Amino acid sequence: DQQVKQNSPSLSVQEGRISILNCDYTNSMFDYFLWYKKYPAEGPTFLISISSIKDKNEDGRFTVFLNKSAKHLSLHIVPSQPGDSAVYFCAASAAEYGNKLVFGAGTILRVKS
Amino acid sequence: DSGVTQTPKHLITATGQRVTLRCSPRSGDLSVYWYQQSLDQGLQFLIQYYNGEERAKGNILERFSAQQFPDLHSELNLSSLELGDSALYFCASSVIGSGPQHFGDGTRLSIL
């Protein structure tokens, strides 16, 4: 049962343009959502998070949007840089479940220069 | 550098053996989480400890066990290893039982 889905296995974007990564979830108990970036041979690196009481959170070039009614969140990266090329994981947690993270399968982002 | 340290980075062993993976959380973090990443399953939660006590359990096999010590470091013990246990094992930590988790670089376990 995939409770967190990232339906796009990969995304290719030109340097300087916007990257939009999408994530859908099915469990309405999730109350905290996170995005992680992962390079090969490294662990996931925390990027940005959002609580279910908000619909937007911004940190520099990264903005996360949450649409609770659609059970959908997205990560916007503006402007995209070649160093952003990595695997991006969406994750969700619920206080009810002890805050364990449930991860999506990941999206490979390639930023072309 | 996330501040979470995992050792060893690589481990190669045979079926039926037992191994111990070690994790030191970020300074000040009380909660430790273990995850398994395999090719077909993605990142899966195994178990969480908070200040020495087990807080939550995921799809952790009975052959696997973990503990968190008074100095807050944690160990994941895997026994009677099978070929299917080959995976990346990540440790993460957070200040309390909520908020963002910060991951180590993982231990790659290969079972021959």
Side-chain angles (χ1 to χ4, degrees):
Chain A
D1 175 24
Q2 271 193 299
Q3 299 185 66
V4 177
K5 295 180 185 178
Q6 293 177 256
N7 292 319
S8 298
S10 65
L11 175 67
S12 187
V13 171
Q14 198 67 35
E15 180 180 7
R17 306 295 289 268
I18 184 171
S19 295
I20 300 176
L21 297 110
N22 294 302
C23 178
D24 296 296
Y25 63 96
T26 57
N27 192 334
S28 57
M29 296 298 293
F30 289 144
D31 54 16
Y32 187 60
F33 304 88
L34 309 90
W35 284 95
Y36 285 85
K37 177 171 74 172
K38 188 179 181 306
Y39 294 120
E42 294 184 11
T45 299
F46 170 70
L47 275 177
I48 192 168
S49 62
I50 188 167
S51 161
S52 60
I53 61 173
K54 293 186 171 183
D55 55 18
K56 178 183 173 181
N57 189 25
E58 197 171 348
D59 184 2
R61 296 186 298 115
F62 302 93
T63 303
V64 57
F65 295 91
L66 175 62
N67 182 335
K68 278 199 306 181
S69 60
K71 293 192 176 66
H72 177 83
L73 65 155
S74 60
L75 174 68
H76 292 208
I77 307 173
V78 184
S80 301
Q81 300 172 354
D84 295 330
S85 297
V87 181
Y88 287 77
F89 290 97
C90 168
S93 70
E96 191 89 5
Y97 307 142
N99 298 301
K100 66 177 186 180
L101 293 179
V102 179
F103 282 88
T107 296
I108 300 170
L109 174 64
R110 295 188 186 88
V111 181
K112 299 176 289 187
S113 55
Chain B
D1 182 11
S2 68
V4 178
T5 304
Q6 288 189 247
T7 57
K9 288 194 183 307
H10 302 279
L11 204 45
I12 301 173
T13 188
T15 55
Q17 296 299 303
R18 182 179 191 277
V19 296
T20 297
L21 313 183
R22 183 188 167 102
C23 170
S24 294
R26 291 191 321 162
S27 176
D29 284 0
L30 298 179
S31 205
V32 169
Y33 307 77
W34 286 96
Y35 292 85
Q36 179 192 56
Q37 185 181 28
S38 55
L39 278 173
D40 57 345
Q41 293 288 325
L43 270 158
Q44 300 279 321
F45 169 74
L46 293 178
I47 196 163
Q48 176 199 1
Y49 279 82
Y50 177 73
N51 205 20
E53 294 192 3
E54 184 183 302
R55 175 64 67 91
K57 247 181 176 177
N59 298 324
I60 187 167
L61 299 171
E62 285 191 12
R63 300 183 286 109
F64 296 1
S65 65
Q67 53 185 330
Q68 185 179 27
F69 294 85
D71 67 353
L72 300 178
H73 92 270
S74 178
E75 293 181 356
L76 179 67
N77 301 296
L78 315 176
S79 61
S80 303
L81 287 168
E82 301 175 358
L83 292 177
D85 298 329
S86 294
L88 266 169
Y89 291 85
F90 289 104
C91 168
S93 70
S94 65
V95 175
I96 53 176
S98 61
Q101 296 173 27
H102 299 271
F103 283 75
D105 285 339
T107 294
R108 180 173 292 279
L109 176 63
S110 299
I111 312 300
L112 304 179

